Amino acid sequence: MKEKNFDDLLCRFVVDGSGKKIGESVAIDDDILIIKREKGFIGIPIKHVEDLGDYLKVKGLISVDKAEELGKRWEEKYAKER
């Protein structure tokens, strides 16, 4: 992804490679984009996210297990800080 203000990536819908909505971007943790889904959170490395203007698109294949692990780790960290 081009060098940019990462805050521009927040509060945007995120779609997968086929254009199916997977959630909404809610936070950035280091180089991981946190996406809120219907049930919980997932984390996707920012380098795998493409800004398409109205929404963000996840490029290539992602490991769902790893994405869920990153989302859970962020959620646990955030809950402890509250």
Side-chain angles (χ1 to χ4, degrees), residues 54-82:
D54 291 338
Y55 56 92
L56 304 174
K57 179 179 177 182
V58 176
K59 301 183 289 184
L61 299 175
I62 61 164
S63 165
V64 174
D65 291 338
K66 182 67 174 174
E68 288 174 347
E69 177 186 325
L70 291 170
K72 184 174 182 169
R73 188 181 310 156
W74 175 82
E75 187 175 14
E76 289 171 353
K77 176 181 168 185
Y78 176 75
K80 288 180 182 179
E81 292 177 357
R82 291 179 100 182

Side-chain angles (χ1 to χ4, degrees), residues 14-22 56-62:
V14 183
V15 299
D16 64 14
S18 64
K20 180 182 175 191
K21 186 172 89 171
I22 59 175
L56 304 174
K57 179 179 177 182
V58 176
K59 301 183 289 184
L61 299 175
I62 61 164

